[in-house]
């Protein structure tokens, strides 16, 4: 895999010394947040992971190379360049072969993390089944990746712009455990509640790590979803955010925005409609996920060392 991958010095040393490593995605930097909040958030997430005793590995593709761990210059490039594509599973071979640069979505980050041997990945929210998918068949590749790639994903549920009941049904069909971290309810990104139940609740990172390792010890391929709700003090009112989402969806339909353009458009529109409150919530929830993800990576690392 060295043919395609460049590990940063910090990540390479961590892997050689068998230290816990946490993957972080780059779509949030290039397509999920405005500058300079995107760079500040990326650096904050890395520092949170380090503070807990794990090593952060922000993943992106730069000039046809998979970068596992980014330098300050590379972070700046990902956060400011207008030439950054958005790469999912299907885009990886093209982006690499053509020597292009791309931010990795949840699915592509899972693939790259798995190639590098990283087992825990922290993101904001996963993609899922889009509203109206019964007509459009618009379903994120993230869900198939969770079904097939052995990486645990810590998130604040699925993005609230999605059809959450159908997203959970899809995950159940493909055998992906949906585990609530200190919650019995599936979080809805900006809010702690969705009215939907998770499969199981865990009370701490030790229990979460045991479930993840047991799954792979049984030879059951695919990831696990650790659903970690946004901290209460940063959660938005459900009725308020639901109205903003409906208005943003209406605008997207009117402009005929579809495919991989839809999520960045909706997140940006919701940010405008909420006067930036949704962006603040997004930053806080992903920071909270970094705290939890780092702790889970540390416990999982301990279990593998003891085995």
């Amino acid at each position: 895999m060295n043919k395609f991958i460049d590990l940063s010095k910090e990540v390479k040393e961590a892997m050689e010394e068998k230290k816990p490593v946490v993957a972080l995605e780059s779509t949030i930097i290039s397509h999920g947040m405005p500058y300079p909040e995107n760079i500040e958030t990326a650096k904050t997430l890395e520092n949170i992971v380090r503070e807990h005793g794990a090593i952060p590995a922000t993943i992106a593709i730069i000039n046809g190379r998979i970068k596992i761990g980014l330098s300050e210059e590379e972070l700046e490039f990902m956060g400011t360049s207008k030439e950054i594509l958005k790469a999912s599973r299907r885009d990886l071979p093209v982006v690499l072969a053509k020597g292009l640069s791309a931010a990795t979505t949840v699915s592509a980050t899972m693939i790259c993390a798995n190639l590098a041997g990283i087992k825990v990945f922290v993101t904001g929210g996963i993609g899922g089944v889009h509203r109206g998918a019964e007509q459009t068949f618009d379903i994120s590749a993230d869900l198939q990746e969770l079904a097939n790639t052995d990486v645990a994903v810590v998130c604040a549920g699925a993005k609230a712009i999605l059809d959450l009941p159908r997203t959970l049904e899809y995950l159940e069909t493909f055998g992906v455990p949906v585990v609530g971290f200190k919650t019995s309810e599936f979080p809805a990104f900006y809010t702690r509640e969705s009215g939907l139940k998770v499969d199981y609740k865990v009370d701490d990172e030790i229990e979460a790590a045991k479930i993840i390792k047991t799954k792979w010890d049984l030879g059951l391929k695919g990831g696990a979803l650790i659903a970690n709700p946004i901290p209460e003090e940063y959660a938005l009112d459900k009725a308020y955010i639901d109205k903003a989402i409906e208005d943003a969806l209406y605008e997207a339909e009117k402009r005929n925005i579809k495919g991989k353009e839809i999520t960045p458009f909706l997140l940006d529109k919701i940010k405008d409609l909420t006067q930036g409150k949704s962006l603040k919530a997004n930053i806080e929830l992903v920071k909270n996920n970094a705290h939890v993800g780092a702790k889970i990576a540390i416990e999982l690392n301990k279990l593998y060392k003891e085995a």
Side-chain angles (χ1 to χ4, degrees):
M1 281 304 118
N2 290 342
K3 184 179 175 186
F4 302 109
I5 293 175
D6 295 329
L7 300 178
S8 71
K9 185 171 179 287
E10 183 185 30
V11 173
K12 188 169 186 289
E13 286 173 0
M15 300 298 286
E16 285 169 354
E17 293 166 22
K18 294 192 164 36
K19 288 181 179 173
V21 180
V22 176
L24 300 165
E25 48 126 323
S26 47
T27 295
I28 201 169
I29 304 168
S30 301
H31 304 290
M33 289 182 185
Y35 184 84
E37 286 93 342
N38 54 357
I39 304 292
E40 288 163 10
T41 302
K43 288 179 179 175
T44 300
L45 297 181
E46 291 190 345
N47 288 333
I48 288 169
V49 171
R50 287 190 192 99
E51 281 162 15
H52 285 289
I55 302 300
T58 303
I59 294 175
I61 302 167
I62 299 177
N63 299 327
R65 300 290 298 170
I66 296 171
K67 301 283 185 176
I68 312 278
L70 302 184
S71 67
E72 286 223 14
E73 293 75 21
E74 287 167 339
L75 269 180
E76 196 71 25
F77 170 69
M78 293 303 295
T80 55
S81 171
K82 302 297 176 204
E83 305 300 312
I84 307 292
L85 302 173
K86 187 177 174 188
S88 185
R89 167 180 274 268
R90 71 173 182 176
D91 309 295
L92 283 176
V94 182
V95 172
L96 294 180
K98 288 171 81 71
L100 303 172
S101 297
T104 50
T105 62
V106 168
S107 67
T109 307
M110 287 181 74
I111 291 166
C112 297
N114 193 46
L115 289 174
I118 300 168
K119 291 301 179 190
V120 177
F121 163 40
V122 163
T123 186
I126 60 162
V129 178
H130 280 263
R131 301 183 193 202
E134 61 273 25
Q135 268 88 45
T136 64
F137 283 82
D138 192 351
I139 299 170
S140 170
D142 296 354
L143 300 185
Q144 271 299 306
E145 217 54 60
L146 276 158
N148 289 292
T149 300
D150 295 356
V151 174
V153 179
V154 180
C155 63
K159 294 182 177 77
I161 55 177
L162 301 168
D163 185 326
L164 298 185
R166 283 190 171 95
T167 297
L168 286 173
E169 286 291 347
Y170 194 106
L171 289 168
E172 182 192 353
T173 299
F174 286 94
V176 179
V178 178
V179 179
F181 192 80
K182 300 182 180 179
T183 182
S184 300
E185 189 162 350
F186 188 64
F189 202 62
Y190 301 118
T191 61
R192 294 175 65 83
E193 66 282 336
S194 63
L196 303 164
K197 295 291 178 195
V198 291
D199 301 334
Y200 300 99
K201 173 188 174 187
V202 294
D203 294 317
D204 57 34
E205 54 276 8
I206 298 168
E207 211 176 351
K210 280 181 183 170
I211 289 169
I212 294 162
K213 185 170 183 294
T214 301
K215 181 177 196 252
W216 296 329
D217 284 351
L218 287 167
L220 297 173
K221 70 170 184 174
L225 198 66
I226 310 298
N228 180 42
I230 182 172
E232 207 149 347
E233 61 269 33
Y234 301 112
L236 299 181
D237 176 73
K238 191 169 186 311
Y240 172 74
I241 197 65
D242 284 351
K243 172 74 168 67
I245 290 167
E246 290 299 330
D247 291 349
L249 286 164
Y250 174 75
E251 185 74 21
E253 194 173 340
K254 203 165 71 172
R255 294 201 204 175
N256 200 31
I257 294 167
K258 293 186 169 73
K260 64 167 70 175
E261 306 305 320
I262 186 83
T263 299
F265 171 81
L266 291 174
L267 293 177
D268 193 51
K269 186 70 185 169
I270 292 163
K271 174 176 73 75
D272 292 343
L273 290 168
T274 61
Q275 287 89 48
K277 292 189 186 78
S278 66
L279 176 61
K280 171 72 172 162
N282 194 346
I283 291 168
E284 293 302 334
L285 69 83
V286 78
K287 279 161 61 177
N288 188 42
N289 292 342
H291 284 291
V292 172
K295 290 177 186 174
I296 291 172
I298 287 162
E299 293 305 325
L300 189 60
N301 186 256
K302 283 182 196 168
L303 290 175
Y304 276 110
K305 280 183 172 175
E306 289 165 6

